[in-house]
């Protein structure tokens, strides 16, 4: 046996011993859950964006934003009980419909991407940071909502893409930077 092989064997034995000694340093506690009837997913095109954990209104409490297959965004409160008491179901605070006001056709209104962020440039120390929610739908609509989930604006960007184009991956970047083109 070569010295190099012996050194690798000794290092591996030490790594295994060290990892077994510190096995219980991390622990996870059950905190909350949210049930959904939308799983398992049958088709990849039915996949919803992942939930977002964010403090929308700046009150210091995190909310969870979850998209649903019926073109809604649900805002959940994760801890309605103490964490020490085990699992508790996340409480529904409010629900936002992505459907247009006058019509109730859900085609093209399912959320495919969501993001939250701060756009206010005039932040002052001690003032709560209020965030916006931006949602992109399967029909190429981009919607922006304030911290109270009031729609600020909506635009459709479908004409910027080929007619046969479909969503594969979408990234949303929210910034307070304003770009002026001259």
């Amino acid at each position: 046996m070569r010295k190099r092989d012996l050194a690798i064997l000794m290092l591996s034995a030490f790594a295994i011993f060290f990892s077994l000694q510190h096995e219980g340093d991390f622990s996870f506690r059950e905190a909350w859950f949210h049930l959904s009837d939308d799983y398992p997913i049958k088709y990849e095109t039915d996949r919803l964006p992942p939930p977002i954990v964010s403090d929308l209104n700046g009150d210091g409490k995190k909310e969870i934003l979850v998209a649903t297959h019926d073109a809604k965004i649900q805002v959940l409160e994760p801890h309605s009980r103490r964490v020490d008491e085990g699992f508790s179901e996340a409480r529904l605070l409010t629900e936002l419909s992505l459907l247009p006001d006058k019509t109730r056709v859900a085609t093209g209104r399912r959320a495919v991407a969501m993001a939250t962020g701060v756009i206010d440039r005039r932040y002052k120390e001690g003032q709560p940071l209020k965030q916006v929610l931006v949602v992109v739908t399967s029909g190429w609509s981009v919607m922006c909502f304030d911290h109270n989930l009031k729609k600020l604006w909506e635009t459709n960007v479908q004409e910027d893409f080929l007619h046969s184009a479909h969503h594969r991956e979408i990234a949303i970047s929210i910034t307070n930077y304003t770009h002026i083109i001259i």
Side-chain angles (χ1 to χ4, degrees):
M1 182 182 285
R2 294 184 193 166
K3 290 182 181 180
R4 179 188 65 185
D5 295 339
L6 180 62
I8 291 173
L9 183 63
M10 294 294 288
L11 183 63
S12 300
F14 178 73
I16 291 170
F17 175 76
F18 186 74
S19 67
L20 291 176
Q21 294 299 318
H22 298 321
E23 184 178 6
D25 286 353
F26 295 101
S27 65
F28 298 97
R29 287 191 222 158
E30 302 86 6
W32 57 271
F33 65 93
H34 177 65
L35 298 176
S36 174
D37 296 334
D38 299 330
Y39 294 98
I41 297 170
K42 295 177 184 168
Y43 305 104
E44 186 65 29
T45 57
D46 292 339
R47 187 170 298 279
L48 293 170
I52 297 174
V53 179
S54 180
D55 183 10
L56 276 179
N57 53 7
D59 64 353
K61 297 178 187 174
K62 301 278 186 186
E63 294 90 23
I64 302 166
L65 297 124
V66 179
T68 64
H69 281 285
D70 57 348
K72 292 181 182 171
I73 305 294
Q74 294 179 337
V75 180
L76 307 170
E77 178 186 27
H79 301 291
S80 58
R81 300 186 316 186
R82 287 186 14 196
V83 176
D84 298 348
E85 297 175 8
F87 272 124
S88 66
E89 188 167 3
R91 186 170 64 101
L92 179 66
L93 294 175
T94 188
E95 201 169 57
L96 162 72
S97 176
L98 299 176
L99 300 177
D101 294 333
K102 304 287 183 200
T103 59
R104 293 293 170 200
V105 178
T107 304
R109 298 303 276 194
R110 181 181 50 82
V112 294
M114 298 187 310
T116 59
V118 177
I119 59 171
D120 191 10
R121 297 173 117 203
R122 301 164 301 201
Y123 173 70
K124 294 178 183 158
E125 190 67 35
Q127 194 177 44
L129 285 174
K130 298 185 190 238
Q131 298 187 20
V132 295
L133 168 68
V134 175
V135 178
V136 179
T137 67
S138 58
W140 298 97
S141 290
V142 180
M143 294 182 265
C144 182
F145 300 92
D146 69 0
H147 63 281
N148 289 322
L149 299 180
K150 178 184 163 204
K151 189 187 296 182
L152 297 174
W153 54 264
E154 176 179 353
T155 187
N156 193 304
V157 294
Q158 187 170 16
E159 62 204 31
D160 297 335
F161 297 95
L162 296 173
H163 182 66
S164 60
H166 63 278
H167 304 99
R168 185 155 194 140
E169 187 173 320
I170 296 176
I172 301 171
S173 177
I174 300 172
T175 180
N176 62 4
Y177 176 73
T178 321
H179 184 70
I180 301 172
I181 299 175
I182 300 177

